[in-house]
Every structure is written in structure tokens, then in C-alpha cells.
Amino acid sequence: MRRVTVFGATGSVGQSALDLIARAPDDYDVVALTGGRNIAQLAKDAVVLNADVAVTCHGELHNDLKELLAGSGIEVASGDSAIDEVASRPADWALSAIVGAAGLIPGLKALEQGQTLALANKESLVTAGPLLMETAAAHGATILPVDSEHSAVFQALVGEDIAAVERIIITASGGAFRDWSLDDLAGATLAQASTHPNWDMGQRITVDSASMFNKGMELIETKEFFGIDPAKIEVLVHRESLIHALVGFTDGALMAHVGPPDMRHAIGYALHWPARGHVPVERLNLANIGSLSFEHPDPVRFPALRLAADVMEIGGLAGAVFNAAKERALDLFIDGRIGFLDMARIVEMTINKMSANDGLQNAQFSLDNVMHIDALSRIRADEAVAKLG
Ligand code: NDP
Ligand code: MG
């Protein structure tokens, strides 16, 4: 029996993971499930999976969660510090599926215990990639990618020498607005940005897909996870979302990973790794699919990719600025306070301001520095709103 913990269990990725775990209850001993507002789902899953402890990050929901779990024998905890505490409990495998930089500390704590961390939370790699990788190395822990593109690259690299990699191509569906004009993008609403042509995901990553900030984050994630020169990483728009990534080698071979747009594939790979288990995703019928398309992303309508390239060029803690400014800009768009295209403007202004004044390149990669830069970037992003004009 493997002891498993799921952070962000009530979210889109978390629920897909619980679906896989629930299909083989005898294989898993569920240590902790964590969630946020959706305590009804959290309590239900904690009972079904017989978790030791259920945690909501919201202290004010503690008593409600306690009531929902009364008589179950399941421990209840709440608040960010409670999530950090359960991350330190013994487990073999943990899924990091909290959305946002809030996923960073629980991920670090799990790595400090030497756990295998299945990482969906790309924000932590973008914010503090070197810190995560160093923590894993120092404690003999393993990080497995769960983002579909990175799982695809990881799988294409099994048995290969990273030195023989010439290029990595991650694909993008192009999101809700792939065919929209710049004028139309300026007036795009939250409801329009919250639909995705191929994937069913949480709202924040869906909007990030529409702006292609998600793909920008994934460029940085690729660099941090695989330690690859950014010049070797490309993005191609692939509308069908069936090829998730391709790895090109020095002999000209391109290894593609093909699968349905279902996160249970990437989660299942990380859950069963290094073996391959049975994963109940759709089996593709390639003859029915017929053809696949590829095109270059448009850098004018989707500046997020250029900004991500700038961030990789600056290096150091610039990723923390990028992620925090993007998170703040997304909050403001969701709240209806800025337009869709303003998100990229705010991120760019914040990067410019922070890289001019705050010595991002030379700052040490300590957790304190990362948290400081994250907080400061959110303030700078708010200041940028006033200058939008
Ligand atoms: P969701 O919004 O669906 O779920 C997020 C989860 O985190 C929920 O359990 C939520 O609780 C919880 N949560 C929210 N805020 C906090 C917080 N401050 N502290 C602790 N927990 C919190 O997101 P997704 O499942 O879509 O995405 C999760 C992560 O996986 C993200 O990093 C995303 O980029 C990444 N990812 C997602 C993919 C997908 O297909 N959805 C694909 C690839 C990567 P509650 O809902 O109860 O409030
Ligand atoms: Mg992805």
C-alpha cells in the first residue's frame, strides 16, 4: 500500500487524481486531502477514500468541515499552516494540485520528507524552480511532471541522454481566442475566456490558456524542470491537443507523445511511475482523427510568450515576478477591473519595474527572497494598473 496525499483535491486535477485512486482502493492509503472552499466535496472524498486528515485552507470553514465529518473519525484541520503541516507527514507520493503560488510551500515540505512529488502546480516551478530542484536533490526526493506537455517530454526522454536533445516542442491548443483579432481580444469577457476548446480545467488555467500565459508559464517550466537551454524550447499551436509535446534529438528523430486531452493520463503516469498502470482514458482512433495541424503562435496577439522568453533571459528571480504579476493581473481581470489585453501590459510593466530596481538576477534563491519578490511584484502589479491609461 502506498501512502498518498493530494493537495488541491477538490480541483480539476485533484478530482481526476482521486478518480484514479478510488478505482484501486486497496493500493493506496490516503494520508491527507486538502481543499479550499469546496468543503462538501472534500468531506465526501475524505470519507470515501478513508483519509486520515482533511484540510481546508480557509480557517473560517473549519467548523463547517468538522460538522460534515462528525463521527467519521477523520481528523479536520484548517489554514495554510495546516496544509504545510500535513505536507510534512509521512507519505510516499503527493500530488501538488493547488492553484497558484500557494502550492509552493506544501510542495517543498513534501520534498523535504523525501516524497515523490507529482507536480501539477506549475506556478511553483516558475516561481522557484531552482529551490524545488535543489530541495528534491538534497532530500533524495523525486519530482514528476503532471502538466501534460511536461509529462509528454518526460516520457519521450525515458532511456535517453538529455545531452542528445536538440529541441523540445510543447504544443498549445491556442485557447479560446486563437482566431480572434486584436480588436476583439481587447473586449473579451471573463465568460468568453473561461471556455476551452479541448480541455476541461479550473477557471484560472482556462483563462491563462486564452491569453497564452499558460504556455508562457510552461516554457519556463520546461527550462526549470529539464534544465534545458531556452533557445531549444519551442511552442507550436496544435488545435487538436492530441500531441502534447515532441522531443527532437541530434540524429533528427522527433519523439512525439500522443494521447487524448484527459489529465488522468499524465496523473496516472506519475501515479504508477516507473511502471505503467492501467489508465481508463479514451483510446485514440487515429484513422477517425485523420489529420493533425500545426502552426506558429502569433506573438502580437499573444505577448505572453515573448514575456516568458524575456523572463528566462533575465533569469534569477524573474520567474517569481512573472508568476506573481500574472496571478495578480488575472485576479484583476476576473474581478472585472481590467481588460483582457491589460493582463499582459501589467505583467510587462511589473517585470520592467522589478528588473530595473530590485536586483533579480543576483538575489539568492531562498524561500524568504522568493516570498518577498512574490509579494512585492503583486504590489507593483497593482501600481501598474493606475498607469494603464
Ligand atoms: P482548480 O482551480 O480546479 O483547483 C485548485 C485547487 O486548489 C482546489 O482544490 C482549490 O480548493 C485549491 N485552492 C485554491 N486556492 C488555494 C489556496 N490559496 N491554498 C490552498 N488550496 C487552494 O485548479 P486546477 O485543478 O485546474 O489546477 C491545479 C494546478 O494544476 C494549477 O497549478 C494548474 O496550473 C495545474 N494544471 C492544471 C491542469 C488542468 O487540466 N486543470 C493541467 C495542467 C496543469 P477549492 O476549489 O475547494 O476552493
Ligand atoms: Mg499544460
Side-chain angles (χ1 to χ4, degrees):
M1 267 234 203
R2 286 166 74 207
R3 295 165 302 175
V4 300
T5 282
V6 178
F7 300 102
T10 52
S12 167
V13 171
Q15 288 289 295
S16 291
L18 297 195
D19 173 75
L20 296 179
I21 291 168
R23 285 167 194 264
D26 296 342
D27 294 352
Y28 305 106
D29 173 7
V30 177
V31 177
L33 298 181
T34 85
R37 300 236 156 260
N38 194 353
I39 52 170
Q41 187 68 50
L42 182 63
K44 187 169 160 236
D45 290 330
V47 169
V48 169
L49 296 168
N50 194 23
D52 297 346
V53 54
V55 192
T56 165
C57 64
H58 301 293
E60 71 275 17
L61 296 177
H62 185 100
N63 288 341
D64 294 343
L65 181 59
K66 202 161 183 176
E67 212 164 284
L68 286 167
L69 286 170
S72 67
I74 295 168
E75 186 186 339
V76 168
S78 64
D80 293 336
S81 58
I83 295 184
D84 301 347
E85 187 276 317
V86 299
S88 301
R89 294 191 189 187
D92 303 303
W93 186 91
L95 174 67
S96 172
I98 288 173
V99 65
L104 175 61
I105 295 178
L108 286 170
K109 298 273 180 208
L111 292 173
E112 283 167 7
Q113 304 304 311
Q115 299 178 19
T116 295
L117 185 69
L119 191 70
N121 179 262
K122 64 192 81 184
E123 296 89 342
S124 48
L125 261 184
V126 172
T127 300
L131 190 57
L132 277 170
M133 301 314 268
E134 279 162 24
T135 305
H139 297 274
T142 302
I143 307 179
L144 298 171
V146 169
D147 210 348
S148 56
E149 298 75 5
H150 306 78
S151 173
V153 172
F154 190 82
Q155 293 181 52
L157 285 172
V158 170
E160 305 286 358
D161 181 355
I162 192 86
V165 172
E166 241 174 28
R167 57 181 174 151
I168 291 180
I169 302 169
I170 58 173
T171 62
S173 67
F177 301 147
R178 59 194 174 195
D179 297 317
W180 283 40
S181 70
L182 208 48
D183 279 352
D184 288 343
L185 286 177
T189 65
L190 176 61
Q192 290 166 328
S194 300
T195 60
H196 195 282
N198 304 332
W199 293 90
D200 182 11
M201 309 185 286
Q203 186 188 41
R204 295 182 73 89
I205 185 174
T206 303
V207 177
D208 283 349
S209 296
S211 63
M212 291 196 78
F213 264 110
N214 181 49
K215 212 48 58 179
M217 301 274 288
E218 290 182 359
L219 279 173
I220 302 171
E221 191 185 359
T222 307
K223 170 188 173 247
E224 298 297 346
F225 192 90
F226 298 102
I228 199 114
D229 177 353
K232 294 183 175 176
I233 315 170
E234 303 165 34
V235 173
L236 276 184
V237 174
H238 164 53
R239 290 168 182 253
E240 297 81 7
S241 295
L242 296 175
I243 293 186
H244 305 297
L246 305 99
V247 179
F249 294 94
T250 44
D251 60 358
L254 260 184
M255 301 298 285
H257 179 280
V258 192
D262 182 334
M263 282 306 290
R264 290 179 305 172
H265 180 84
I267 298 164
Y269 184 78
L271 187 60
H272 297 121
W273 180 88
R276 281 198 185 265
H278 176 81
V279 178
V281 296
E282 179 200 348
R283 270 48 179 170
L284 293 180
N285 181 328
L286 293 176
N288 283 354
I289 292 160
S291 61
L292 299 174
S293 65
F294 302 94
E295 60 205 281
H296 288 296
D298 179 349
V300 177
R301 289 182 302 133
F302 300 104
L305 298 177
R306 171 178 55 81
L307 296 176
D310 291 349
V311 161
M312 291 191 285
E313 175 86 33
I314 298 168
L317 287 163
V321 177
F322 182 72
N323 180 70
K326 192 280 296 174
E327 284 195 28
R328 190 65 197 126
L330 180 57
D331 291 340
L332 295 167
F333 176 68
I334 289 173
D335 290 347
R337 290 172 54 195
I338 60 169
F340 185 76
L341 293 175
D342 293 334
M343 288 192 284
R345 294 192 186 111
I346 287 174
V347 173
E348 183 156 21
M349 287 158 81
T350 306
I351 293 168
N352 289 345
K353 180 97 184 170
M354 292 290 289
S355 54
N357 297 336
D358 297 294
L360 293 179
Q361 273 144 321
N362 304 323
Q364 259 205 331
F365 247 108
S366 66
L367 183 59
D368 281 352
N369 276 348
V370 169
M371 302 302 281
H372 169 69
I373 293 294
D374 175 285
L376 195 57
S377 302
R378 287 169 203 259
I379 294 169
R380 296 281 179 264
D382 277 339
E383 289 167 359
V385 179
K387 295 184 189 131
L388 278 176

